[in-house]
Amino acid sequence: MSTITACRGCGSSDLKEFLDLGETPLADALVTAEVVANPNLEERFPLKVSFCPVCALVQITEDVEPEKLFVDNYLYFSSFSDHLLQHSRAHVMNLVETRGLGPDSLAVELASNDGYLLKNFVEEGVPVVGFDPAPDQAEAANAIGVPTRAEFFGLDAATRLRAEGKAADVIIANNVMAHIPDPNDFVAGMAHLLADDGLITVENPSVWDLVERCAFDTIYHEHFFYHSCTSVKALVERHGLHLNHVEYFPDLHGGTNRWHIGHHDEPSQHVLDRLAAERAAGLHEFAFYADFGHKVDTLRANLLAILRDLKSEGKTIAAYGAAAKGATMLNATGIGTDLVDYVVDRNTHKHGLHMPGTHQLIQDVDVLTAENPPDAVLILAWNFAAEIIAQQADYAANGGKFIVPVPNPHIV
Ligand code: DWN
């Protein structure tokens, strides 16, 4: 663990801090009852966010080893979100059609998790290679016929794959270009692996939405970076690549951009418009981020007021979604078991464990419709609030209420 003092993108020493969320545990490091009984066993790290005025890259300034984040007992499996599965399949089918992919093509996904996306290429007869350092997820992918290498991707991995005579026609990098400590090695690897007429698509939540929607809980040590079109353009051009298009998905992870990147400089009018809009809004300047901390303080105070009012009325409160963002929300806001009794989640790998830092027990979602249901449920996975509320219609029909914390805490 070490403190970052220079921009990880361009090396500038002029990093400007704009948010300090205190010392928090690793957001996906769910804990056992043994750790709950011995809290000193749980590591905490500073969680501070800075802006680089040279390349516009927003980044945390604590360097936690990636093995701690993504290898040791990493429990995030992509296949537990129906919305994400539908989104991913639509992307694959579009690529197969628009890029004319077939048995002589190669599709590569970086951070391919449990094969949730690449399996669609396999079904279409398109050869694939996945990279994911999390052993359980890589094993799950290989088990369903998605060839996956349990390793981090970078220039070295790309060089070895090219040495096998393989260049990628498409490279898909969803929720990973924000998750690697060395963005230059990662992008250099993509540049080396991509065929001359190939396409890279990179998906990450938009830092513009993060600030506008006060989605401070999406800040955690797994997320080294928070990207804009402006920062992505600067990053890829450093490696001879070009940002040629961007798509926007408002309902995915609180607002997600899908950036289209290639070897040739062929920008769409849309991406030029988005870059101009970011510049007009000031995303390339510190002032845009300067008062974000105050917005976070206001959200936290308003959420605590709702929870405390319910408790003063003798209500019981649970939470839904043992999400990484949920760990930041609970820890940075100070929501312990005094306010929220337990958390429910569909991911069976998480059942019986406890939330990092605040230690609420994680149970199956059917607890919400069993005897003694909670009076209210705080939706920590608010990015899936519509899906979750629809899914839990029986709980609502029995009088259950939902609390949605972002962008403005309110009861549904
Ligand atoms: O970048 C990342 C984002 C994209 O996904 C990774 N760092 C890890 C992860 O972050 P997260 O854990 O905040 O993501 P989710 O996908 O918002 O987490 C949702 C949680 O809620 C998962 O544990 C699954 C669970 N869930 C559920 O129990 N029932 C999700 C849905 C949609 C449901 O219906």
Side-chain angles (χ1 to χ4, degrees):
M1 177 190 83
S2 62
T3 300
I4 299 296
T5 55
C7 175
R8 293 190 227 227
C10 70
S12 165
S13 60
D14 192 19
L15 283 178
K16 298 181 182 303
E17 183 178 303
F18 63 87
L19 185 66
D20 181 352
L21 291 174
E23 298 224 346
T24 66
L26 299 183
D28 267 317
L30 306 183
V31 298
T32 61
E34 180 196 6
V35 173
V36 172
N38 303 282
N40 61 326
L41 292 176
E42 194 168 17
E43 292 183 286
R44 289 171 176 266
F45 304 91
L47 187 54
K48 301 176 182 180
V49 191
S50 291
F51 168 77
C52 174
V54 174
C55 70
L57 188 57
V58 175
Q59 53 203 284
I60 62 172
T61 52
E62 201 57 37
D63 195 14
V64 179
E65 298 85 0
E67 288 71 17
K68 273 184 185 286
L69 295 168
F70 300 110
V71 178
D72 305 338
N73 197 31
Y74 185 63
L75 293 170
Y76 182 77
F77 285 75
S78 301
S79 295
F80 283 97
S81 162
D82 299 339
H83 178 60
L84 186 63
L85 291 174
Q86 292 156 14
H87 169 84
S88 305
R89 176 169 175 74
H91 184 33
V92 167
M93 301 313 286
N94 177 269
L95 286 172
V96 170
E97 182 185 345
T98 58
R99 311 295 299 179
L101 302 177
D104 298 329
S105 307
L106 177 65
V108 174
E109 186 184 10
L110 313 179
S112 48
N113 200 273
D114 55 9
Y116 76 103
L117 180 143
L118 286 178
K119 68 182 181 184
N120 295 289
F121 281 115
V122 172
E123 290 165 9
E124 294 297 313
V126 177
V128 302
V129 173
F131 287 90
D132 200 298
D136 294 347
Q137 286 78 350
E139 181 182 343
N142 283 308
I144 63 169
V146 174
T148 300
R149 302 180 181 195
E151 60 180 285
F152 288 98
F153 178 81
L155 185 55
D156 174 57
T159 302
R160 283 184 275 112
L161 189 51
R162 283 297 310 244
E164 296 170 27
K166 299 182 178 180
D169 297 291
V170 291
I171 297 175
I172 297 166
N174 292 349
N175 297 302
V176 58
M177 203 169 80
H179 303 57
I180 32 87
D182 182 349
N184 289 300
D185 178 57
F186 185 82
V187 175
M190 292 200 292
H192 185 71
L193 181 58
L194 185 70
D196 181 65
D197 62 348
L199 172 65
I200 299 168
T201 64
V202 171
E203 285 185 19
N204 278 113
S206 153
V207 72
W208 194 344
D209 284 320
L210 189 159
V211 171
E212 295 278 288
R213 299 184 181 183
C214 199
F216 75 94
D217 53 344
T218 61
I219 295 168
Y220 38 86
H221 297 95
E222 270 176 50
H223 291 169
F224 290 90
F225 308 109
Y226 303 85
H227 284 298
S228 60
C229 294
T230 305
S231 68
V232 169
K233 175 176 166 55
L235 177 57
V236 301
E237 287 182 351
R238 199 171 295 127
H239 301 277
L241 295 171
H242 299 276
L243 174 60
N244 286 328
H245 187 52
V246 62
E247 299 171 79
Y248 178 63
F249 302 93
D251 299 328
L252 189 63
H253 291 303
T256 287
N257 281 329
R258 175 187 290 156
W259 292 288
H260 294 226
I261 297 157
H263 284 301
H264 305 286
D265 189 5
E266 304 160 333
S268 67
Q269 187 56 52
H270 183 65
V271 78
L272 295 175
D273 293 346
R274 297 310 300 158
L275 287 163
E278 288 188 356
R279 190 158 194 87
L283 270 78
H284 62 298
E285 294 174 326
F286 180 67
F288 180 82
Y289 307 91
D291 71 341
F292 184 59
H294 299 307
K295 288 174 71 174
V296 173
D297 291 344
T298 301
L299 187 152
R300 290 189 291 196
N302 291 342
L303 177 56
L304 282 172
I306 289 173
L307 298 175
R308 287 171 177 155
D309 286 352
L310 286 169
K311 295 302 285 183
S312 67
E313 296 162 11
K315 304 294 186 186
T316 54
I317 308 171
Y320 190 123
K325 62 174 70 67
T328 294
M329 179 61 78
L330 295 176
N331 282 282
T333 308
I335 301 173
T337 49
D338 59 319
L339 292 173
V340 169
D341 299 334
Y342 57 87
V343 177
V344 297
D345 195 292
R346 281 200 314 188
N347 181 339
T348 51
H349 302 277
K350 299 185 177 182
H351 295 168
L353 295 172
H354 298 255
M355 291 301 287
T358 53
H359 298 164
Q360 286 90 350
L361 177 65
I362 302 164
Q363 305 185 73
D364 196 323
V365 296
D366 60 13
V367 169
L368 296 185
T369 47
E371 55 189 48
N372 302 321
D375 296 305
V377 171
L378 171 60
I379 300 182
L380 295 172
W382 49 264
N383 47 311
F384 294 124
E387 181 177 347
I388 290 167
I389 291 171
Q391 176 200 108
Q392 296 303 320
D394 290 347
Y395 168 74
N398 294 334
K401 299 297 181 188
F402 295 100
I403 303 162
V404 181
V406 173
N408 301 297
H410 65 283
I411 297 176
V412 179

